[in-house]
Amino acid sequence: MKTSRRHAICMASDFFYPNTGGVEEHIYNLSQCLIKNGHKVIVITHCYGDRVGVRYLTGGLKVYYLPIRVFYSQCALPTMICNIALVRYILIRECIQIVHGHSAFSVLAHEVSIIGKLMGLKTVFTDHSLFGFADMSAVLTNKYLQMCLCECDHCICVSHTGKENTVLRAKVKAHKVSVIPNAVDAYTFTPDPSKRDKNVITIVIVSRLVYRKGVDLMAAVITELCSQNPNIRFIVGGDGPKMWLLQEVRERKGFQDCVTLLGSLKHSEVRDVLVKGDIFLNTSLTEAYCMAIVEAAACGLKVVSTRVGGIPEVLPENMIYLTEPNVDSIIGGLELAISDLKQGNFLCPYKCNIMIRNMYNWMDVSRRTEIVYDKILLNKNKPLGQQLRSYLTCGVWPFLLVISLMYLLLRLVEKIYKRKHIDIAKNLKI
């Protein structure tokens, strides 16, 4: 059903297709639903290899792959000023009203949001992750996030734990933060018990192989279980800097027959991997929501996961075995799941799919996001002086010079390439 009020929205993030992950999937699915509801949506991200320029995805979703070099971990270099002219041109050409940034790690999301705010647009930020407060990287990230969110109209978190975390570390007022969970396309992630090998217990892991996903725990659990039980098989999908650890465990222990490493997967391939398993294992050390366990539950797998972040909020107790983030507890959870599996003590896979379909769907997420958009459009724009006073509250005075320079550069670009000379993009009708 189309909404009566049409918005022009720019999704901005360093993380988008062809890269795969929870943030990328969230942006894509939310955009598709918003387009179905009659809104205009574009995506701004950096280039991926030779994918530079404008691309169109399903449903007429226009994606701008900016010619920006990746600096670290799929993120652009935080220059703040180098992309002003290009971002301004896109926002004007597409008649954008709302800039929606995604992920605290994304430099591009923050840059586009600040540029949009200086141009008088409304801004929304969705935080997909949890951070600590103790180590140096967390301190720097939290301070950077606090600076960038000073003038954000509204924030969205994917769990209540994530909201508490964002309010504390970014010092955002609680009334400006809403909780809207992720969702999953339960019509795509459907069960197929015929694909399972009935002679063995298959444990599936689909994850980015990075430290915060608990790859060290994963390696220790694989070593322990495969040594004790010859009827257990592991299928690991995903790639990352910790892939070498799993490869080393498999080679040193001679687990080639019981551990399959698939490497990087396309999102369209994930369901075909999940349906081969009996149990899904998640060993994350920190997680705001974890879409992977919802996808696994939709495919009818028993889920064993560490009890961290917002994970306890995601699935009901009869669909998940929660463990502590240590090897003994995870193995205990897996053994309990295996025991229940052998005794037939589990929910029907198709019933699980229906439950997930009712709990999490993208049309509901888009409807709740539209409410946020409608709300922030009522906010009055602040002049530069008031915006600078807001940035003063973060305690980093040199950042005011950066914002002032960005404003002056925007004024300079306006003199050189006037708004009235920019051609307005035609809307593609599918």
Side-chain angles (χ1 to χ4, degrees), residues 212-243:
R212 75 179 189 87
K213 293 292 185 179
V215 181
D216 299 273
L217 291 175
M218 199 185 296
V221 168
I222 290 172
T223 302
E224 189 93 10
L225 282 181
C226 288
S227 301
Q228 293 177 357
N229 195 330
N231 290 325
I232 288 181
R233 299 288 182 270
F234 281 89
I235 299 177
V236 183
D239 202 354
K242 300 284 278 185
M243 170 65 95

Side-chain angles (χ1 to χ4, degrees), residues 78 80 101 103-117 123-125 140-155 169-172 176 387 390-396 399 402-403 406:
M80 304 301 288
S103 182
F105 292 106
S106 175
V107 171
L108 189 59
H110 297 308
E111 284 192 15
V112 176
S113 295
I114 292 173
I115 293 169
K117 199 65 190 174
T123 57
V124 181
F125 173 75
L140 292 174
T141 304
N142 293 344
K143 180 56 72 173
Y144 178 65
L145 189 63
Q146 182 187 347
M147 292 188 297
C148 293
L149 295 186
C150 278
E151 273 298 293
C152 186
D153 288 289
H154 205 84
C155 293
R169 63 192 171 89
K171 294 181 171 59
V172 182
K176 291 178 64 176
Q387 289 190 43
S390 297
Y391 287 115
L392 267 176
T393 60
C394 69
V396 183
F399 193 62
V402 176
I403 299 298
M406 292 176 73

Side-chain angles (χ1 to χ4, degrees), residues 251-265:
E251 298 302 320
R252 284 192 175 185
K253 300 293 183 179
F255 292 155
Q256 288 86 349
D257 292 334
C258 55
V259 179
T260 303
L261 300 178
L262 300 177
S264 181
L265 295 173

Side-chain angles (χ1 to χ4, degrees), residues 3 5 24-25 40 55 66 100 118 122 128 132 138 167 177 180 183 208 215 217 244 310 328 346-347 362 398 419:
T3 182
R5 190 172 189 178
E24 293 86 343
E25 187 183 348
K40 176 180 179 177
R55 298 289 190 276
L66 305 188
H100 192 159
L118 290 173
K122 308 304 180 187
H128 295 262
V167 168
V177 184
I180 303 176
R208 282 197 295 266
V215 181
L217 291 175
W244 67 269
D328 292 339
F346 57 88
L347 288 172
W362 284 111
R419 181 183 291 256

Side-chain angles (χ1 to χ4, degrees), residues 250-403:
R250 190 176 70 159
E251 298 302 320
R252 284 192 175 185
K253 300 293 183 179
F255 292 155
Q256 288 86 349
D257 292 334
C258 55
V259 179
T260 303
L261 300 178
L262 300 177
S264 181
L265 295 173
K266 294 179 182 177
H267 191 255
S268 58
E269 300 170 339
V270 172
R271 182 261 176 186
D272 295 332
V273 174
L274 289 174
V275 294
K276 294 178 182 178
D278 302 289
I279 298 169
F280 182 83
L281 176 62
N282 173 57
T283 58
S284 293
L285 301 178
T286 174
E287 200 76 67
Y289 177 84
C290 193
M291 192 177 290
I293 64 174
V294 182
E295 293 173 345
C299 290
L301 278 71
K302 300 178 80 67
V303 177
V304 178
S305 175
T306 47
R307 190 198 305 269
V308 295
I311 288 178
E313 302 175 29
V314 177
L315 293 174
E317 292 182 0
N318 60 346
M319 296 180 73
I320 188 169
Y321 299 82
L322 293 171
T323 70
E324 298 305 316
N326 61 67
V327 175
D328 292 339
S329 182
I330 294 170
I331 289 175
L334 285 170
E335 288 175 344
L336 182 59
I338 292 169
S339 174
D340 285 347
L341 200 63
K342 290 178 177 178
Q343 294 172 15
N345 183 20
F346 57 88
L347 288 172
C348 169
Y350 296 99
K351 185 178 179 181
C352 289
N353 184 269
I354 293 170
M355 290 172 65
I356 294 296
R357 195 181 304 172
N358 293 331
M359 284 190 288
Y360 301 111
N361 68 80
W362 284 111
M363 292 307 293
D364 180 57
V365 171
S366 66
R367 180 183 59 79
R368 294 164 71 174
T369 306
E370 286 172 13
I371 294 171
V372 173
Y373 293 160
D374 291 337
K375 181 180 178 180
I376 64 171
L377 283 176
L378 300 176
N379 293 352
K380 292 183 179 179
N381 291 327
K382 296 180 182 178
L384 179 64
Q386 288 188 24
Q387 289 190 43
L388 291 176
R389 275 195 288 273
S390 297
Y391 287 115
L392 267 176
T393 60
C394 69
V396 183
W397 286 39
F399 193 62
L400 270 68
L401 298 176
V402 176
I403 299 298

